[in-house]
Every structure is written in structure tokens, then in C-alpha cells.
Amino acid sequence: MASPAQQLPPGWAAEWDQNAQRYLFIETATGRTQWEPPFPDPEAMLRAPSASPPPAQSHHHTKRRQYAPGQTQAYYGADTIAPPGPAYGAVPAPAAATQPQLFTPGLAADGQFAQQQMGAGVPPAQAPYYGGAQPEPEYINAPGFGQGPAFQPPGVNALADQFSQMNMGQKGLRLFTTNLLTAPPDPLELHRPPPDIVLPPNSCLSNSPVANADPSYQRCTLNAIPTSHSLLQKSKIPLGIVITPYRSLKEGDDPVPLVTDTVIARCRRCRAYINPYVQFIDGGNRWRCCICSMSNEVPQLFDWDQVRNQPGDRWARAELNHGAVEYVAPTEYMVRPPQPAVYVFLIDVSHNAIQSGMVATATRTILENLDRIPNEDNRTKVAFIAFDTSLHFFSLPAGTTDSSMLVVSDIDDVFLPKPTDLLVNLTESRPAIENLLSRLNDMFQDNHTIGSALGPALQAAFKLMAHIGGKIHVLSASLPSVGAGALKNREDPKVLGTSKESALLQPASPFYKTFAIECSRAQVSVDMFLFSSGYQDVATLACLPRYTAGQTYFYPAFNASRTEDAIKFAHEFGEVLAMPIMLEAVIRVRASKNLRMSAFHGNFFVRSTDLLAMPAVPQDLSYAIEIQIEDNITAPFVVLQTAVLHTTCFGERRIRVVTTALPTTNNLSEIFASADQVAIATLLANKAVERSLTHKLEDARDAVFNKMVEILSAYKASMTAAGAGASAQLAISENLKMLPVLLLGLLKNVGIRQSAQIPPDLRAYAQCLLTTLPPQLLVPYIYPTFYSLHNMPPECGTVGEHGVIMPQPLPLTSERLERHGLFLIEDGQTIFLWVGRDAVPQLIMDVFNLPNYEVLRGGKTTLPVLDNPFSQRVNAVIQKTREMRRGVYYPHLYVVKEDGEPPLRLWALSCLIQDRADVLPSYQQFISQLRDKVNGSTY
């Protein structure tokens, strides 16, 4: 119920007078006081009686407080459960007070019955204050609050439970059922935010809209957590979180607030960080942890403003208002002083690498991006090692432009040829580095050596930097063939499409995993850039980034003489070099009692049961974690908190904390209504890839299909009238209606698709993407975007209020292709421009500057920018497509003619996942299979 303090006009404050047992109103500007409420309008005067009922005198009720119905027992029944703070995220309290105080069964307004059953009203000591308009804000809970069981009128709990089931006591999520057979997928659905997180009243200290972390940092598959494992099992929805703790900031994104005063309040028992969901008790001198309910002292300097050197406003602190915050860590969070950023470049200079133009493009890109490499404190160190079947080190003494090459041919026992000048300060040796990069390609121009000593080169780089840690960028254009880690070509077309294919996706040599774990211990991370025209065993080489928290980039058949290839690699490599990385990181996810992190997916090494070691955390890499419910949850809400301890690339130790609070429910309909289809698809993509490696590709596909059948069966059995019988419909909740098409896209993705034509390297690289892309990039990768350009509205492709206006996305079916049209299909990695065979010459002239369709050539291309509005709009749409998502990827553009080369046509059409392709079903067939399975499983 609203207190008068919450309804005051600006410039007024309210204080509870203990002697008079009523509110005293203070005009803050003049200090004038009065007993009458200062209402700004006559309408408010009419509401006055209901706004402030007199506090009850009965000692039973002096410590009572409004909670959601059905949760009273949770608060008062057990001493260990903390009473919540002021409301945020549910029905706002002031609104409730405007309802009349009469209770009519069946006509109750939202939240009204809850107010009545809570009786006497808001206790004075608990009036929530957010802004600091009061001279001396009272803290949230009076001393001793909730320490003993309060008087509970008999039968109220049962009534409250009934009303909460009817969604009267507290506004829960509404469940809407849709029939998949009659509701075709709408691509716009995927741009909607996840279901609302409806927390119980008073669970949050702050009324800030960002008290829960933005879903782009952390999102859960369910936004209402089942109170028991059996209830979760009944819904069949997998429980897990998808975290992208270090996502890049696009224009308009708010940065993560930084707490610089090194006052870090943590729970003594579970080591959780203070956040908007804790409670202040004991007059504000202590706080109760929202994860383990431990009572902790508030640090002495918590209420002190160190910048102004005066008392500060506790409620303005970032960690009490933001779900994502970053702290500058004091020295006790450091094992050693923050190390400088170190970049070691391993460049393949064998014949293939030189001929493809990879070396020239790479050295030019490094040279052009030297100023973008993080080096704010001038401590960054770099080294260059070239390798073919020997290792070529470069000595780069400071203060000169000279560099000398030292060749080590003994690759069986790798050693450093010189103790100094190999790993050098970027600023001090800049002239020598620039000189070397401009000459490196010419030095090896006539190199005819075929072969690659990648393993020994990695060992040399490790020796060079192991005492500091840092980043190894490997640029390799051939299969490692000599020395440690040598690999053989194991590509066998006869195995493709059979049950033995998954063996090709597993590492062929233990060297890379063993070496990666050594790197992880020494805080060394590896990024792989792979360029081979032939087989390169991506599956094995991707082990290095997987266990060292790096990333794999693959450029099949790279040839720099095609400008598109050179531009794509230069753009992506340049972005990777300029990326501000987190170094020496460890991540731990803490969760409320009875929730346990049970499985981890992504690029890292699990150091202990729940500590993820990451020598470097790149931006926009995603990690998926499965959660298990171990015992019944009695708390009204749970908290998931991810903490990342890391060193910035400019030498500052920091902790990023991402907190998400989610309500609990024992109501199956709320579980379905709160399910986040994008998070579920992301988690299932990670699980499918893991299963394809531990079992077979077929098992991974079956597991995805069966999970969809289970969810639909559970929904039909518990949420529809059909129950266990057969049904002509295929029902699912409105918020999950895109899940079947997302999973169909996953089943048709190169990573796990049933096919005998996919080379193992392409499949292994697709699996790397499936397990690392954040949801924003993963969704288009499994459910591409499809636009019609020839008839897009005139404003599309022009600049609007929020940048370039994009056309409406179309469903992914070739039924939408028109023979005279121009269409764009993109999945975040590739853009296809589909040209219909009857396209009019004017369209071809306006877009490609060619006289007609016949002379247009298909394939990789760069679109000309012509002096006509349509060309400029099409280019703007393509440019926006390349820029609108986070991540370093720069998709190639392919022109696809309707009657052009069959492989290119089939590749583009494979993106239209709602069509039938090869042995894979269309969306309608897939839905029919699901319905038959759902109905069949009930006989």
C-alpha cells in the first residue's frame, strides 16, 4: 500500500513522528512543517483517506508489511528468509492506493486483495526513499524486523494462494496460447524483448529501470524460476543462462557504471557482491545477502563521497541501482601487479601463405592498426615470429629502424635465439616495427618452402611471453606438417554423412588441447586466423581458442587478389587488434540457495567446479551455463550474479558484476509464459554441438527435435483442453511460437545439418560460431534475415531518427521470391543479393551499372555506389546490415542469379529454412512431424 511519502508533490518530504504516531510533512526549500498532507490538486484530497490509513496500534502489526499474496508464509514462516526492500518491477505501489478500499469477490482490482489481507498498512520505519530529498533518510528496515514469526490470521494463506493462482493478488505474466499449424512464423517476433521479469513487490531497493541487468549481458531461459525440480521437469524447458559479460557498446548504449572508490561490499559467507536486491537491516548498518541470507556489516566508507570528501547519498551508489556494474579492484584482488598487454604475432610465411597474399594483407593491416592496439599507458609489448618449416625471430631494438632476423631450424627442441629485443615495447620500438612490417612480405617473396611448423612456433611464442601472459595471434595458411602438433589430412568424402563423421570434428592430436591448458595456466590466450585453400583441420586447431578463451576466424580459399577477400580479412583482423580485451580473467556465477551451475559451454577452461579461467575475454563472446534446481525453493525470488575479475588492457584490475533477479513460481502457466525462446535456442545450440562431439551428429539432431517434442507435449498435457488425448492443433504459448522455427534453423545449420557434402572444416567452423556467438548474432545465423529490396517503401534505405531505416523482414520461404525482383538474404556471416531472371534492365542498371540481366555475373562482389537514389538506398541497407550487430564480422556480399551457378544458388536458398531442401523438411512438414510425435506419444 502506498504511504503518503510516496505521493508527495516535488519539494516535500515526510517523516514519521514517533510521539504523535503520524506523518510530519516538511517543505524542503524553507524547512516549514505541517501535519496536513500537502496535496497539489483537489482530486488528490479525495484520495487522502485511502492513501494513509492510520497505522494499527496492535503490537502484532507494528512490523507488518505488504507482500505479494501467497508469499506471506515464505517471509514470516522461516527466520532465514529476508524480507524485501522497496518495490520495483511489479505493480507500482502508488497506483494501488487509488483503488477504492472495498473488496468485492470476483471484481477485485490488481493487488487490492493483497493490500487488504496485509491489514494495517506500511510501517513507518520502512517508508522507501530513493532520491535523498529527505535530510536524513531512514533505512529500509527497522532494527529487529522479521526476527520472530509475526501473528498470522488463520486461513489467509490459503485464500491468498487461491487469489495468486487467479493472478489477482499480484500481476503475473499472462499466458496466451497459439496454434502453430495456423500461425506462420513472423520474423518481427524475434526482435521483441524477452518476457517481462515480474518481481514481487518490495524485492528491489531501487526503482531504477536498470536494476536488473540488460538481457544483452545476461538472460535466463525462464524469467520465472520453478520452485522445484519436479515442476521444471514437468515443463520440459531447459533451465540455463546465456552470459555475454563483456559486450561491446554500440551508439546509444549506456556504458557500465564504474565504481572507483574501491569500497566493495561482499557477503562474508557466499562472497556475493552487494546489489539492488539486498536488504538493509539494523537501521541501515547491516545488509542481508539476497543469495544466502547472511547478515553483513555495511563498510564504513559506503556512505562517504570520496571525490567531494563529504557524506554521500547511499541510494545514489551505482551498485544499488544498476544490474551491471564495474569496480576498480583494490590490491587484495591481485595475485601480481597488473601486467602489460602483450601481443605475439605468428605469421605463416610458407609458399601458400605468400602466394595467397595473406602475408601482405596481414602485415599491412597490423601496420595500419598500430595506433589502435590498446596502449594507453605505453606499456604494451609486441613480438613477431614468422614460420614455415623453420622459425624466424625478429630482433627489434628500441630507438632504431633496424631489425634483424634470427632463424632457428631446430624445431624439435625450440629455444629463443636471443634473451632481449624479441618481445619489445610497442612505443619504444615503433620505428623498427614499422620498418619490419613494410618489408616482411618482400623478405619471403620467393619462399618456395611448403610445410608448416605451427606447433614449434606456438611453443616459441609461449616461451617468449609465459612470464607475463597475453595474446597470440596465429595466421596460418596450411596444415601443420612438421614438429610437435603435426597433422595429417584426414578428410575422407566417404565418411561424410555417415555415423563416423563426428570423428572428423574431434581433435586429431592431443598436443593442441594440452598446450592450450598450459597457455591457460600462464594467462596466454590464442586467436586463430585460418586461410587454407585445402584441408586445414579446423576442428583440431580450434582447440587452442576454445580452452584459452580466444576465437577462431576462418577464410576458406582466401586470395587477396580478390579485393573482397582482402577487405573482409583486413576489417576483421583490424577490429580484433583494436578490441579492448580483458586479461587474466576468472568468471564465477553465484546463485540463490538450491540453484547450482551444472554444465558450462563456451571458450574457457573450467579450473574448479565453478570457476571459469579465461586468459583474455574478447568482446561479444557468449557463454551458456546450465542450472539445476537441487531442492525446493521457498524464497519469493532468486538472484543470479556473474562476477568477472579481470585486468583491463591499460593495466587496471577490475571486477564486472552482472546481477539478474527472477521471481519464483509454482504455477506452470507462469513458467511457460516467462520462457525466453532466444535464450532456449542459444542454450540448445551449445548443447547440440557438444553432443555431436561426444556422440554422433545424428544424436545431436535427434536431441534437438526430441526436446521440441517434449516441450510441446508438456504444454498440451498441462495447458490445453486436449490433455493427454490426440489433438488437431499444435498448441504452444505465444512467447514460444518462434522456437520451432529457430530449432529448424539450427537443424539446417551447417554445424549439425544432415548432409554428405559439407567439408569438415566448414562444419567445424560453424560449430565454433554456434558455441560462441551472442544471441544477437546467433539468431540471424540460424534464422537468417530476408528482405525484398525492389519494392521496399521509399523511406527504407534513408536515414531516419534511429539511423538507416530497414525494410520489413519476410518469412524465410522461396514463395516470397519474385522473378522480377531483387532480394537480400543475410545470416550475419554472408549477404546474398538474389536477382530474379526477369529483372527489368532499369533495375540492373540502377544497382549494378550494367545494361541487362544477361551480362550480370554472379559471385563475390562489391556493389558500386551509383548516382541514383535506389542504388544509394540498397547500399545503405547493405552497409547497415554489416554494422548493426555487435562483433567484428564483415560479411561477404554475393550476387546470386536465379538461373546462375547451381552451388551458389543452393547455398543462398539453404538460408530460406522454411523450404524443403534435400532430405530436410520444410517448416510445414516439420510442424506436422512434431504434431504426429506429440499426438503419438500419448497413445
Side-chain angles (χ1 to χ4, degrees):
M1 185 180 297
S3 72
Q6 290 168 279
Q7 298 196 331
L8 293 177
W12 285 85
E15 271 190 10
W16 182 257
D17 190 296
Q18 208 57 49
N19 300 323
Q21 285 290 299
R22 59 190 286 195
Y23 280 102
L24 179 68
F25 297 92
I26 305 159
E27 191 174 10
T28 47
T30 61
R32 189 166 63 82
T33 61
Q34 62 183 59
W35 292 110
E36 298 75 36
F39 288 109
D41 61 271
E43 249 185 89
M45 287 298 286
L46 298 174
R47 292 199 298 265
S50 66
S52 178
Q57 300 302 312
S58 158
H59 74 279
H60 288 306
H61 292 276
T62 49
K63 294 196 171 94
R64 292 297 294 282
R65 185 170 189 178
Q66 171 205 338
Y67 298 117
Q71 288 159 353
T72 317
Q73 189 59 47
Y75 286 105
Y76 290 112
D79 293 348
T80 54
I81 294 169
Y88 157 65
V91 184
T98 64
Q99 303 291 348
Q101 286 293 298
L102 297 169
F103 170 61
T104 312
L107 295 175
D110 287 331
Q112 185 190 323
F113 178 70
Q115 291 173 19
Q116 296 216 333
Q117 70 142 2
M118 290 322 295
V122 179
Q126 296 166 37
Y129 295 116
Y130 303 119
Q134 300 72 20
E136 293 179 357
E138 300 176 53
Y139 291 111
I140 300 304
N141 303 102
F145 176 77
Q147 287 172 2
F151 167 72
Q152 185 66 50
V156 169
N157 262 350
L159 264 172
D161 279 333
Q162 287 173 14
F163 273 84
S164 67
Q165 296 283 326
M166 293 159 64
N167 271 344
M168 284 184 180
Q170 173 193 332
K171 196 165 177 68
L173 288 168
R174 298 279 304 280
L175 184 72
F176 298 98
T177 297
T178 188
N179 180 9
L180 289 170
L181 297 172
T182 57
D186 178 4
L188 287 173
E189 290 281 326
L190 293 172
H191 297 283
R192 290 193 176 169
D196 292 341
I197 297 174
V198 185
L199 287 164
N202 307 323
S203 44
C204 183
L205 290 175
S206 166
N207 57 0
S208 159
V210 289
N212 243 341
D214 189 273
S216 58
Y217 290 109
Q218 181 164 286
R219 64 197 295 173
C220 188
T221 55
L222 290 172
N223 280 348
I225 302 295
T227 50
S228 66
H229 178 67
S230 59
L231 190 60
L232 178 64
Q233 287 298 94
K234 203 172 172 187
S235 76
K236 297 297 182 188
I237 296 174
L239 180 58
I241 53 168
V242 178
I243 54 175
T244 314
Y246 197 35
R247 71 154 172 80
S248 54
L249 295 173
K250 285 281 188 190
E251 214 175 310
D253 287 346
D254 292 325
V256 174
L258 184 64
V259 180
T260 53
D261 59 10
T262 67
V263 177
I264 301 178
R266 295 184 68 182
C267 175
R268 285 176 300 144
R269 180 159 59 198
C270 70
R271 306 301 293 148
Y273 294 81
I274 199 166
N275 59 72
Y277 301 95
V278 304
Q279 279 183 299
F280 288 106
I281 54 175
D282 193 12
N285 294 321
R286 303 179 70 79
W287 60 278
R288 183 171 277 139
C289 175
C290 55
I291 288 182
C292 72
S293 298
M294 181 79 172
S295 166
N296 302 278
E297 284 192 12
V298 174
Q300 281 185 332
L301 293 174
F302 196 72
D303 296 315
W304 185 257
D305 186 335
Q306 294 188 11
V307 178
R308 298 195 184 91
N309 206 22
Q310 65 184 42
D313 178 7
R314 171 180 295 194
W315 306 114
R317 286 190 71 95
E319 60 266 53
L320 297 183
N321 289 288
H322 292 263
V325 289
E326 195 156 286
Y327 297 94
V328 174
T331 49
E332 58 261 34
Y333 287 85
M334 303 175 196
V335 179
R336 57 181 181 171
Q339 300 297 302
V342 173
Y343 296 87
V344 175
F345 297 92
L346 295 189
I347 303 173
D348 183 348
V349 290
S350 62
H351 182 68
N352 290 351
I354 295 290
Q355 290 309 307
S356 70
M358 182 275 279
V359 176
T361 312
T363 49
R364 190 176 68 247
T365 304
I366 299 170
L367 187 58
E368 287 171 358
N369 286 284
L370 284 176
D371 285 330
R372 295 179 72 203
I373 291 175
N375 187 26
E376 286 182 30
D377 50 1
N378 292 332
R379 296 201 309 159
T380 300
K381 294 178 181 294
V382 295
F384 297 87
I385 302 174
F387 65 95
D388 41 27
T389 52
S390 313
L391 305 183
H392 308 264
F393 294 84
F394 296 94
S395 172
L396 302 159
T400 70
T401 57
D402 299 336
S403 58
S404 51
M405 182 165 75
L406 308 155
V407 182
V408 174
S409 303
D410 180 3
I411 55 172
D412 294 325
D413 184 15
V414 176
F415 63 92
L416 299 179
K418 197 178 178 195
T420 57
D421 293 341
L422 298 178
L423 183 64
V424 296
N425 181 292
L426 174 58
T427 309
E428 292 168 8
S429 299
R430 179 74 178 260
I433 292 167
E434 289 179 356
N435 187 18
L436 168 67
L437 289 169
S438 57
R439 292 188 303 116
L440 189 67
N441 188 58
D442 299 337
M443 289 159 68
F444 294 98
Q445 191 61 55
D446 302 320
N447 188 2
H448 294 293
T449 310
I450 292 175
S452 162
L454 175 60
L458 284 163
Q459 290 172 329
F462 182 75
K463 277 189 160 60
L464 203 55
M465 65 195 301
H467 62 293
I468 304 176
K471 196 96 176 153
I472 302 177
H473 290 299
V474 177
L475 301 115
S476 169
S478 44
L479 190 68
S481 57
V482 294
L487 300 169
K488 292 184 172 62
N489 186 341
R490 54 183 179 149
E491 189 173 28
D492 182 358
K494 294 196 291 292
V495 172
L496 300 184
T498 70
S499 59
K500 294 179 183 169
E501 185 178 4
S502 60
L504 298 179
L505 301 174
Q506 290 160 359
S509 158
F511 167 79
Y512 292 95
K513 182 173 180 183
T514 313
F515 179 74
I517 291 167
E518 266 183 63
C519 284
S520 180
R521 282 201 195 99
Q523 304 296 352
V524 172
S525 174
V526 184
D527 274 351
M528 300 295 287
F529 292 83
L530 305 174
F531 302 87
S532 181
S533 50
Y535 178 68
Q536 195 163 6
D537 205 345
V538 173
T540 302
L541 298 181
C543 266
L544 285 166
R546 181 174 307 133
Y547 295 110
T548 63
Q551 179 63 300
T552 304
Y553 301 90
F554 185 40
Y555 305 90
F558 176 84
N559 190 338
S561 61
R562 279 195 303 266
T563 50
E564 289 81 18
D565 281 11
I567 288 169
K568 176 182 170 69
F569 165 55
H571 179 277
E572 294 182 359
F573 190 33
E575 290 297 309
V576 170
L577 292 176
M579 187 186 289
I581 49 176
M582 294 178 166
L583 301 164
E584 297 189 49
V586 286
I587 293 186
R588 177 170 269 136
V589 182
R590 295 176 175 87
S592 296
K593 191 179 170 190
N594 296 329
L595 292 178
R596 181 174 67 82
M597 306 299 130
S598 59
F600 303 90
H601 307 275
N603 286 4
F604 46 71
F605 180 61
V606 184
R607 196 182 287 170
S608 63
T609 50
D610 64 342
L611 191 70
L612 311 180
M614 303 186 185
V617 183
Q619 285 186 326
D620 300 313
L621 241 62
S622 186
Y623 315 96
I625 301 172
E626 293 176 59
I627 301 175
Q628 207 166 4
I629 299 176
E630 295 195 306
D631 203 351
N632 289 1
I633 301 171
T634 52
F637 67 95
V638 295
V639 174
L640 299 163
Q641 189 178 72
T642 302
V644 189
L645 176 62
H646 64 280
T647 302
T648 61
C649 41
F650 43 86
E652 193 169 52
R653 198 70 174 147
R654 286 190 179 179
I655 309 152
R656 178 165 289 199
V657 179
V658 182
T659 307
T660 305
L662 300 167
T664 56
T665 181
N666 53 10
N667 188 333
L668 202 55
S669 69
E670 278 189 18
I671 294 170
F672 280 111
S674 75
D676 179 348
Q677 55 196 359
V678 170
I680 294 170
T682 309
L683 179 63
L684 291 178
N686 279 276
K687 289 182 65 144
V689 169
E690 184 164 298
R691 195 167 182 84
S692 73
L693 298 175
T694 55
H695 294 68
K696 297 197 287 283
L697 278 162
E698 193 179 346
D699 293 340
R701 290 190 289 268
D702 288 347
V704 171
F705 182 77
N706 291 337
K707 177 49 76 178
M708 192 68 243
V709 171
E710 284 178 4
I711 292 172
L712 289 166
S713 300
Y715 192 86
K716 171 170 161 282
S718 54
M719 292 291 130
T720 67
S727 169
Q729 296 191 333
L730 187 57
I732 192 68
S733 61
E734 181 77 18
N735 53 300
L736 286 177
K737 72 175 183 188
M738 291 299 284
L739 186 59
V741 79
L742 286 174
L743 296 189
L744 178 63
L746 176 59
L747 292 170
K748 291 188 172 189
N749 185 276
V750 174
I752 60 174
R753 174 160 87 212
Q754 184 180 352
S755 170
Q757 269 89 43
I758 299 173
D761 277 356
L762 285 178
R763 213 188 260 287
Y765 179 59
Q767 293 197 343
C768 291
L769 293 176
L770 286 174
T771 54
T772 56
L773 291 179
Q776 190 204 27
L777 286 161
L778 182 72
V779 167
Y781 188 54
I782 60 177
Y783 186 85
T785 313
F786 180 29
Y787 302 123
S788 170
L789 299 183
H790 62 284
N791 57 3
M792 60 183 172
E795 69 273 9
C796 294
T798 62
V799 179
E801 192 182 337
H802 303 293
V804 174
I805 299 167
M806 298 296 275
Q808 288 285 353
L810 302 174
L812 292 173
T813 168
S814 55
E815 289 172 9
R816 295 303 186 104
L817 291 173
E818 295 170 4
R819 293 179 67 166
H820 60 273
L822 180 70
F823 296 87
L824 185 145
I825 313 167
E826 62 91 21
D827 66 357
Q829 304 294 317
T830 316
I831 299 173
F832 298 103
L833 208 55
W834 177 279
V835 189
R837 68 173 73 173
D838 293 343
V840 293
Q842 189 61 48
L843 176 72
I844 306 295
M845 178 59 86
D846 284 354
V847 177
F848 302 101
N849 203 21
L850 292 169
N852 55 40
Y853 176 83
E854 281 68 36
V855 297
L856 177 65
R857 290 186 54 196
K860 212 178 283 183
T861 189
T862 303
L863 214 56
V865 180
L866 304 174
D867 192 14
N868 70 71
F870 188 65
S871 165
Q872 289 158 9
R873 286 165 58 209
V874 169
N875 272 288
V877 168
I878 291 170
Q879 187 63 21
K880 169 92 171 183
T881 299
R882 283 180 165 147
E883 292 173 357
M884 65 184 176
R885 299 192 186 99
R886 300 183 178 94
V888 301
Y889 300 102
Y890 185 86
H892 270 314
L893 175 68
Y894 288 88
V895 169
V896 184
K897 296 177 70 173
E898 187 182 339
D899 55 2
E901 301 164 12
L904 188 57
R905 276 183 59 242
L906 289 171
W907 184 17
L909 289 172
S910 72
C911 289
L912 301 178
I913 59 162
Q914 288 169 227
D915 287 342
R916 186 172 179 180
D918 206 10
V919 293
L920 304 166
S922 70
Y923 177 69
Q924 283 305 327
Q925 290 169 318
F926 183 64
I927 290 294
S928 299
Q929 287 173 10
L930 288 170
R931 185 189 62 183
D932 295 345
K933 204 81 170 157
V934 168
N935 284 337
S937 63
T938 57
Y939 292 142

